[in-house]
Amino acid sequence: AVLFPWFTVFLGLVTYYGITRTFPHLPYTVAMFLIGIAMGVGSALSSFEDSLTGSVNMWTHIDSHVLFLVFLPGLVFRDSYHLNVHQFQVGLPQSLTLAFPAVLGGTLLTSLVAKYFFASYEWSWFLSLAFGSIMSATDPVAIAALLAEVGAPQRLSILVSSESLLNDGAAIVFFTIFKDLFLNELGIGGKTYTWGSAIIKFLWMSVGGALIGFAFSLGLLLVLLLLNRRLNMEENAVNVASTVTFAYLTYYVAEIVLHTSGVIAVVVLGISTKSMGFFFVNDTKMLDNFWLILEYLLNTILFCLAGCEWGKIAANTTGRITAQDYGYLVGLYVFLTVIRFALIFFFYPLVSRIGLKTNISESIFMAFAGLRGAIGIALAISLDHEVFKNSDNEDHAILATRLFFHVGGIAGMTLLINAPLGGPLLAKLGLTQATCTRQKLVKEVEHMISIRLLDYFVEVAMEPRFIGFDFQLVKDHVPMVKEWTNEEISNGVKHYKNKHHNEFSKNVDKLNNFLSNFGMDPLGEEEGPKPRVRRVKAVTALDWMKDVTDTKDIDLHIEITSQLPKKRARRRVSLVLQDMTSKRELRKVFVEMLRSAYNKTIVEAGINRKDGVVTKSIFQSLEHANDSVNKGQPLNDWEAIQELRRPLQNNLMSMLSIITSKLSFLTQFAAKRAINTEFVSVAMLELNYDVKCAIALIEAHVIAERDLMETLGGKDFSGPGKAVIAESKEQTKLAYDCIHKYPSESVATILSHLLVEVLLHKAATVAEEFFSDGLLKETETHDYLHHLQVYIENTPKVEGTTFIKKDQEINA
């Protein structure tokens, strides 16, 4: 039982990666449904009794009530909670119109198709009506996934999602009544209804479900109100956990205990909680992230399971499905599409004048987006299981099997046809096209991002680690650089002067070099504060490293470090630390300062998650340093970094090099996808590893040394403090000596590539800030970040010829 869901999630991970990189317009849920069909067909035809086949068979025979209990509460609550409450309330008259009268009309029309188009089936009216109620409900799970993937406008998403959530609840109510009548007709259970009892049943399930959902929302609000310690992370987690607890309890009590509509109850719970309890949630970001992860997991398993269910029927191992049934399936798809359009436009004169209103283009999309999905399949499963459980009659089994075949087939066809075409239809109808005013605003925001990036570029270009970077490489791969005008560049330099007035005079030469890259005139004579101490003028990044790693004059270094600008305020604990006569305790403090500095510099140094070995080695080196400090030994984090390199990288890359020499096509593809192209030999890896680790270590040590000076009250300290600074300088000098053996051009090239990623990541950060500020919509931010990600992925890696030259030099 455990194997199928987690194997499905694993397939989902692979599928997501594949379609986002290769077929970005294919909805993820559609891909999982196709995989499920393949798994279902395979398990039905397989003669092997392996663990996976057994797990698939176990899940495809799951009880329909258990299926609903596992998947629906989480998915429905997430969709309802994330609705815009105001727009939902305004559009409620439309949703109710399409949810109840339209569902009833769809049930009747579809039952006519089942009765007369499927004439050879000889279905009864009660079975036809049960089938019609299943087919008249659009699946909120599939709809929500489609709207998210095609980037539908918010207002249209509210219209479609709210209608889908409510009509699903209505359809389940109608299905429950007609299923009971059909089972009673077969003599295998169910019950009979009079008109009065049917109306009471309908009201109890719909209105009663809404009241139960509202009652549980009050209880959830009380729990959220009591769990109000926002500064306690554990309590914030419990605060979020309470939402999923109430979602599942609400569905269980409503559906199983009180026999009302669990879907309607959870919809009301989600909307009421969002309306009244949003500000009682301690950590809204944690809540959003939790439900996003849960939605992904549930959608992945549910759509794959739905495909498995239908795949087993399509495999036709029982001989109950014929070619005629497939012909009926195609005809049914056409009829249902016509019925959906007819109902939407029948009610159009009303829904276009009430609530949020609507127009022709939106109505066309709403009609086309009437997906059927896993919920309809689950309803068909419940009927199928009831028949097989209570009857041995083969004719009864054929009735249930054919109904399930058509329900699953229509779900598959709408997912395979309507869902992929949803995005192009939105664009064709002009529903994704922004107004002229909106387009101008987005352009202005993108220009603001570009200007913010320019200001950041000027600051970063002045940092010693990027001295001598390759401007042409940056210009070629950071698109905003080509768009800046001379006036904007001049304003960027002025902004730097105003922000870093004390540093300006020392960076005039670097600023002039920066301006010359754009073909602009150098700055005139600038008056500024003169440096109070002697400093070595750095011409390249290696010169800077040599400057800051000099161990000849610790007193001079302390004086220089104490004058560096303070990047953050801290409480003065100098009296406590100055009493530390033990170097061991002061070393421990310094290691933690290094950890803090790394957390900041790793990101700003351009070392991303692809450099997992680099980041792992850096932070693990601190653990080695702690071990040494606890033994009374001096700092040794650079030695630890060098020791960690050997088992983690050399053996791995040697193995990859051997493989690449044997299997050309496969390994070239793997090299592009799995590792950066600079990692094609151990020599290249060593250079990349050493430079990235060294630049991060040296800068982190400089920051930690400055913070230690500040904490100890400036330059007036001696003894243990000086000793720790000397040990820090020794480690940075070892790092400098290590990379100094490489050609300076190679080091500069790596740093230039890092600068490109630093700038592009900064642009992404600014875009996310503007989204948080409300200047960009989610879809606009997503598109902008997608373009930046493409630029990042297309940034060329360091050419191998440079390193081949380096290998030859070393060998010589």
Side-chain angles (χ1 to χ4, degrees):
V2 175
L3 178 59
F4 171 77
W6 292 114
F7 181 73
T8 299
V9 172
F10 170 74
L11 291 179
L13 299 176
V14 177
T15 302
Y16 178 84
Y17 179 83
I19 63 176
T20 54
R21 269 58 172 185
T22 311
F23 305 103
H25 298 296
L26 177 66
Y28 170 73
T29 49
V30 174
M32 293 309 302
F33 187 79
L34 290 174
I35 291 174
I37 292 177
M39 292 176 64
V41 172
S43 65
L45 300 178
S46 174
S47 58
F48 298 101
E49 290 298 329
D50 57 275
S51 299
L52 181 59
T53 301
S55 186
V56 170
N57 291 332
M58 185 180 299
W59 274 81
T60 51
H61 289 90
I62 189 173
D63 183 83
S64 59
H65 292 298
V66 176
L67 185 68
F68 283 157
L69 285 169
V70 171
F71 293 101
L72 287 192
L75 293 170
V76 172
F77 180 86
R78 203 268 176 181
D79 292 337
S80 58
Y81 182 84
H82 284 81
L83 288 174
N84 183 296
V85 175
H86 172 72
Q87 291 187 348
F88 175 82
Q89 291 173 341
V90 173
L92 188 59
Q94 288 170 299
S95 301
L96 291 175
T97 300
L98 295 174
F100 291 96
V103 168
L104 181 59
T107 299
L108 296 175
L109 292 174
T110 307
S111 67
L112 291 175
V113 173
K115 182 69 177 176
Y116 295 108
F117 182 64
F118 298 161
S120 63
Y121 288 176
E122 298 182 352
W123 282 3
S124 69
W125 276 110
F126 289 143
L127 179 58
S128 298
L129 287 167
F131 177 73
S133 62
I134 296 174
M135 290 287 91
S136 63
T138 57
D139 188 348
V141 178
I143 291 288
L146 170 66
L147 295 173
E149 288 164 356
V150 303
Q154 185 186 41
R155 179 176 166 279
L156 180 61
S157 296
I158 293 293
L159 285 172
V160 178
S161 296
S162 56
E163 179 247 338
S164 179
L165 284 167
L166 292 177
N167 79 8
D168 180 72
I172 292 176
V173 172
F174 291 131
F175 170 77
T176 301
I177 294 173
F178 293 130
K179 183 187 76 169
D180 284 341
L181 292 171
F182 169 66
L183 295 176
N184 181 264
E185 182 181 56
L186 295 182
I188 56 174
K191 62 175 68 174
T192 59
Y193 292 95
T194 63
W195 281 102
S197 62
I199 293 174
I200 292 174
K201 177 75 171 178
F202 174 80
L203 292 176
W204 170 242
M205 291 190 69
S206 55
V207 178
L211 292 175
I212 292 170
F214 183 74
F216 270 87
S217 70
L218 296 179
L220 177 56
L221 292 176
L222 178 60
V223 171
L224 294 176
L225 183 62
L226 293 175
L227 297 171
N228 59 0
R229 296 180 177 178
R230 296 177 182 267
L231 300 182
N232 187 322
M233 290 300 296
E234 184 177 3
E235 185 152 319
N236 291 348
V238 176
N239 186 278
V240 171
S242 65
T243 60
V244 69
T245 302
F246 271 78
Y248 279 86
L249 282 178
T250 300
Y251 186 91
Y252 182 84
V253 171
E255 187 78 19
I256 305 300
V257 178
L258 299 178
H259 305 292
T260 64
S261 173
V263 171
I264 292 178
V266 176
V267 169
V268 173
L269 172 72
I271 294 172
S272 300
T273 304
K274 178 68 173 291
S275 176
M276 299 182 291
F278 177 76
F279 296 104
F280 297 156
V281 176
N282 292 344
D283 190 336
T284 56
K285 187 174 182 180
M286 181 188 292
L287 178 73
D288 291 340
N289 290 338
F290 170 81
W291 281 104
L292 185 64
I293 295 171
L294 183 62
E295 181 187 45
Y296 167 77
L297 294 174
L298 294 178
N299 266 335
T300 298
I301 299 171
L302 180 59
F303 278 92
C304 189
L305 178 61
C308 283
E309 294 276 6
W310 193 80
K312 295 189 70 171
I313 295 293
N316 195 26
T317 55
T318 60
R320 295 169 182 162
I321 305 300
T322 65
Q324 181 188 47
D325 298 312
Y326 283 95
Y328 279 159
L329 178 62
V330 175
L332 178 62
Y333 174 79
V334 175
F335 275 115
L336 290 176
T337 302
V338 172
I339 290 172
R340 174 74 177 172
F341 272 87
L343 290 171
I344 291 294
F345 282 96
F346 177 80
F347 289 101
Y348 177 76
L350 177 61
V351 297
S352 63
R353 291 174 171 82
I354 61 176
L356 290 172
K357 301 181 174 56
T358 187
N359 54 44
I360 295 294
S361 296
E362 291 175 343
S363 298
I364 292 174
F365 180 79
M366 290 175 67
F368 186 79
L371 305 185
R372 279 71 170 181
I375 289 182
I377 291 178
L379 293 175
I381 290 173
S382 68
L383 180 60
D384 185 69
H385 285 184
E386 288 279 354
V387 172
F388 277 87
K389 178 181 177 181
N390 299 307
S391 174
D392 296 328
N393 191 311
E394 178 65 17
D395 291 335
H396 295 171
I398 292 175
L399 291 176
T401 299
R402 284 173 171 169
L403 181 141
F404 183 82
F405 169 78
H406 287 295
V407 172
I410 291 300
M413 293 183 74
T414 57
L415 287 173
L416 293 174
I417 298 172
N418 297 48
L421 295 178
L425 180 62
L426 272 178
K428 186 69 175 177
L429 295 173
L431 296 175
T432 58
Q433 185 176 1
T435 63
C436 292
T437 303
R438 184 68 200 177
Q439 290 177 354
K440 291 179 180 178
L441 175 61
V442 172
K443 287 291 184 184
E444 183 59 30
V445 172
E446 290 178 354
H447 183 256
M448 292 166 62
I449 295 173
S450 178
I451 296 303
R452 286 273 297 273
L453 185 64
L454 171 58
D455 295 339
Y456 182 73
F457 188 17
V458 177
E459 290 190 28
V460 172
M462 298 304 105
E463 294 184 9
R465 59 189 168 124
F466 290 125
I467 296 174
F469 67 88
D470 186 343
F471 177 78
Q472 189 59 45
L473 186 147
V474 174
K475 183 178 180 181
D476 289 342
H477 300 289
V478 181
M480 290 73 88
V481 175
K482 303 174 185 177
E483 302 170 358
W484 295 327
T485 64
N486 288 352
E487 181 180 0
E488 290 169 346
I489 296 168
S490 297
N491 290 335
V493 173
K494 292 177 182 177
H495 178 268
Y496 175 82
K497 175 183 178 181
N498 294 332
K499 185 177 180 180
H500 303 278
H501 182 69
N502 292 335
E503 301 289 312
F504 184 76
S505 62
K506 296 179 288 186
N507 289 327
V508 169
D509 290 341
K510 286 186 282 187
L511 287 168
N512 284 335
N513 183 56
F514 180 82
L515 292 172
S516 67
N517 288 323
F518 291 94
M520 297 177 60
D521 295 332
L523 299 169
E525 291 294 328
E526 293 291 341
E527 292 297 331
K530 304 298 182 184
R532 289 180 291 174
V533 297
R534 173 180 60 84
R535 296 189 62 101
V536 178
K537 183 178 180 181
V539 178
T540 67
L542 288 172
D543 290 334
W544 166 71
M545 295 180 196
K546 183 178 181 181
D547 183 15
V548 299
T549 60
D550 187 9
T551 59
K552 292 180 179 178
D553 192 341
I554 296 298
D555 290 325
L556 174 62
H557 169 73
I558 292 171
E559 186 176 359
I560 293 174
T561 305
S562 65
Q563 295 177 21
L564 290 176
K566 297 178 176 56
K567 295 188 177 181
R568 62 179 180 269
R570 65 173 62 239
R571 295 185 62 187
R572 298 298 297 270
V573 294
S574 58
L575 292 178
V576 176
L577 291 181
Q578 283 175 1
D579 288 338
M580 287 185 177
T581 56
S582 170
K583 286 187 288 187
R584 177 185 300 181
E585 295 301 324
L586 200 54
R587 286 175 186 143
K588 290 181 181 179
V589 173
F590 189 79
V591 169
E592 293 309 312
M593 288 180 171
L594 279 176
R595 193 185 308 277
S596 175
Y598 274 133
N599 285 326
K600 183 173 185 295
T601 58
I602 286 292
V603 177
E604 293 194 349
I607 300 175
N608 56 38
R609 282 180 291 273
K610 289 182 180 179
D611 302 303
V613 176
V614 174
T615 53
K616 176 181 175 62
S617 297
I618 286 174
F619 283 101
Q620 196 169 346
S621 71
L622 296 180
E623 304 306 323
H624 285 256
N626 261 329
D627 292 341
S628 298
V629 166
N630 289 330
K631 296 176 184 178
Q633 298 173 359
L635 298 173
N636 65 345
D637 46 326
W638 178 254
E639 290 99 322
I641 286 175
Q642 291 296 289
E643 287 296 324
L644 289 167
R645 179 183 69 182
R646 297 185 180 91
L648 288 175
Q649 288 198 349
N650 285 355
N651 293 338
L652 172 64
M653 295 315 303
S654 296
M655 180 180 65
L656 288 175
S657 297
I658 294 173
I659 295 175
T660 51
S661 65
K662 301 296 182 184
L663 302 172
S664 58
F665 174 77
L666 176 62
T667 51
Q668 288 301 323
F669 178 81
K672 276 189 174 183
R673 293 296 184 186
I675 55 175
N676 292 333
T677 54
E678 67 216 56
F679 295 167
V680 293
S681 76
V682 175
M684 297 179 191
L685 178 61
E686 287 178 356
L687 174 60
N688 179 80
Y689 180 90
D690 287 341
V691 171
K692 289 182 177 179
C693 287
I695 195 71
L697 180 139
I698 292 174
E699 187 158 356
H701 273 259
V702 169
I703 293 174
E705 290 165 9
R706 181 204 63 214
D707 290 348
L708 186 63
M709 298 301 100
E710 182 183 340
T711 303
L712 292 174
K715 60 182 179 181
D716 300 324
F717 75 104
S718 59
K722 277 189 178 182
V724 171
I725 293 296
E727 293 172 8
S728 172
K729 301 305 294 181
E730 183 63 31
Q731 294 303 300
T732 57
K733 187 175 187 305
L734 289 174
Y736 167 75
D737 291 341
C738 179
I739 65 171
H740 187 61
K741 66 184 181 183
Y742 297 106
S744 58
E745 306 84 28
S746 301
V747 177
T749 303
I750 288 182
L751 294 177
S752 298
H753 282 80
L754 290 177
L755 178 57
V756 169
E757 293 199 16
V758 165
L759 294 175
L760 292 174
H761 280 101
K762 179 63 176 181
T765 302
V766 177
E768 290 171 345
E769 289 177 6
F770 284 134
F771 167 68
S772 300
D773 294 340
L775 291 174
L776 286 177
K777 296 180 180 179
E778 183 174 1
T779 53
E780 294 164 347
T781 307
H782 179 272
D783 291 341
Y784 188 83
L785 294 179
H786 173 71
H787 291 309
L788 290 178
Q789 185 62 44
V790 171
Y791 284 119
I792 292 173
E793 292 176 353
N794 291 337
T795 301
K797 303 305 175 185
V798 185
E799 298 293 336
T801 55
T802 303
F803 304 102
I804 293 173
K805 176 184 176 183
K806 174 256 179 185
D807 285 338
Q808 293 170 345
E809 290 174 355
I810 292 179
N811 293 334

